[in-house]
Amino acid sequence: MPASKGAARPQPATTATLGAALGTGVLSALLLGPGLGTNILLVAAVATLGAYAAARRAGRRLRPWTCVWAAGGLALLLVPAVRDAGWPAFLAVVAALTAGSLALHGGRSWHGVFLGAVGLLGSIVTGPVWGIEGLRRRMTASQGRWGPAARSLGVAVLLLVVFGALFSAADAAFADLLGGLVPEVPVEEGPWRFLLFLVGVAGALAAAHVAAAPTHWDRLAVRRGRPRARWEWALPLIVLDLLFAAFNAVQLAVLFGGYDKVLAETGLTHAQYARQGFWQLVLATLLTLGVIALALRWAPRADDRDRLLVRSVLGALCLLTLVVVASALRRMDLYVDAYGLTQLRLTVAAMELWLGLVIVLITAAGVYGAAWLPRTVAASAVAGVLAFGLASPDALVAERNADRYQRTGKLDVEYLQGLSADAVPALDRLAEPLRSCALEGIAEDLKEDAGKPWYATSWGESRAREILAQRPVQPPANCAGLVYPLSGAAHFDGGGPRPVLDQLLP
């Protein structure tokens, strides 16, 4: 694989780009310390302006896919602003960085999309160096204007501080407003805030550097695989198709009437049968994607017969894999009915659902052509992470378990206490004292975070505070008697606790 053609040397950073980088650093230092919320979206928006200015200076045009990736990245940063749960917010931030890197680099091929998604990391060092060079040139060319500008800025800051302090002392309402809008930076947090400033400046300059001179990963010359003989690659896949068909036939037989017979012959309960094969089916889906990729690399396409055989064999494999995906999701649904929904179970089910979507896209590519496939798969991943975060996973977990409690009278209070503030509206529906027991841990976490400013507070957390203010938590002396573990087989199978290895399963 030859080395890629390097990006053209960009022109020195403009004043607009340097100003946006400075603004990003200042906002990072002031806003990102207490946590994530609206603050990360504000920081990203300023950095985006700097990258846009650098791209315009370099003569780059705004393309449709650039808009898709940029809009998707900024939309993903809405997740920390509206949801309190940390795990979907983390996924959203990582996906936002990936989408932002794709917006800057572009990419059409599989390797172009993959390398473009992580290409921003390569400018973490070169970006600040480029920014320092641009700053040096600006200072050399404008030596006579820096002094007046610095004095003007200093006088403005002095006036704001003096008169802001006077007005705050004169009116308590204005003092509260000013205190809510202006971040407080304790002296002991100085080193941490300075580090955030450096990270913000470096990140903004890295993005602007890539926008001015992106690396064209699509120009990497990737050697195609040597086509194999027709039956050399087709025979193993046909055998695999037959195996998939046999497995799916059993699944359909179980689904349409043979379920009780299978349970009687195997001695398994409904929950054990559901749990037994879920992870294996997820792994089978992932391996199938690998098999399809290798087959497309080695399959001959010299004539129409070869192309028809490739489409037929791989198309059948894709359709059969969709049945495997449906079987895995059905097993998870049965398992959730027996043991309840958890964060892990919801996450892996969502991942399996996305893998099924990828199989559908691959099937469509076999009919309509595959030029659009790499970017569409990446866009579906971005959209999936966004939908997953905005759907409020913790709220779904709490709501599903609250509904299950109404049907079965069983609930794992201890597990629900560890959910985020997003779960409060669903748990608020429970009757006392179960409601207070379930909300006790969440209420304690909210008390510890009571001093967070508005820009580090999510909408989900604010809504939870309103609910708990109207109906305060008043747990009984002992909540232990109300615990019915989500993973405890004693309440469903009549046996003892599940083995340790079983407890690691979803």
Side-chain angles (χ1 to χ4, degrees), residues 259 269-279 327-342 344-346 348 400-401 404 407 485-489 492-493 498-499 501-506:
Y259 197 67
T269 65
H270 287 65
Q272 288 173 335
Y273 180 79
R275 184 179 73 242
Q276 184 186 52
F278 175 79
W279 280 110
S327 177
L329 293 174
R330 175 57 179 161
R331 286 172 183 254
M332 175 56 73
D333 186 56
L334 293 173
Y335 192 54
V336 168
D337 282 342
Y339 291 126
L341 186 62
T342 64
L344 177 60
R345 293 165 195 168
L346 180 61
V348 293
R400 182 69 179 266
N401 284 286
R404 179 173 168 272
R407 292 185 286 103
L486 293 176
S487 58
F492 303 97
D493 301 334
R498 290 168 56 195
L501 290 179
D502 262 3
Q503 295 179 22
L504 298 178
L505 294 174

Side-chain angles (χ1 to χ4, degrees), residues 2 28 112 117 177 189 193 266 296 316 385 427 431 434 443 463 469 485 488 493:
S28 298
L177 174 64
E189 293 187 8
R193 301 287 184 148
T266 60
L296 290 174
V385 174
L427 298 180
L434 196 60
R463 186 185 180 195
D493 301 334

Side-chain angles (χ1 to χ4, degrees), residues 1 16 61 70 77 91 94 110 141 143 160 186-187 271 332 335 400 457 480:
M1 180 182 294
R61 292 181 298 169
L77 296 181
L91 289 177
V94 173
W110 284 110
Q143 287 183 350
L160 285 175
V187 177
M332 175 56 73
Y335 192 54
R400 182 69 179 266
T457 303

Side-chain angles (χ1 to χ4, degrees), residues 1 106 198 213 221 275 309 319 339 350 426 435 478:
M1 180 182 294
L198 294 180
R275 184 179 73 242
L309 183 60
L319 294 177
Y339 291 126
R435 170 190 175 274
N478 182 16

Side-chain angles (χ1 to χ4, degrees), residues 147-205:
R151 289 193 296 270
S152 177
L153 180 62
V155 171
V157 172
L158 178 62
L159 292 175
L160 285 175
V161 172
V162 171
F163 284 93
L166 289 175
F167 290 148
S168 297
D171 189 280
F174 182 78
D176 291 338
L177 174 64
L178 196 62
L181 294 177
V182 179
E184 295 183 5
V185 182
V187 177
E188 61 272 14
E189 293 187 8
W192 167 240
R193 301 287 184 148
F194 182 68
L195 177 61
L196 288 175
F197 171 80
L198 294 180
V199 170
V201 171
L205 289 175

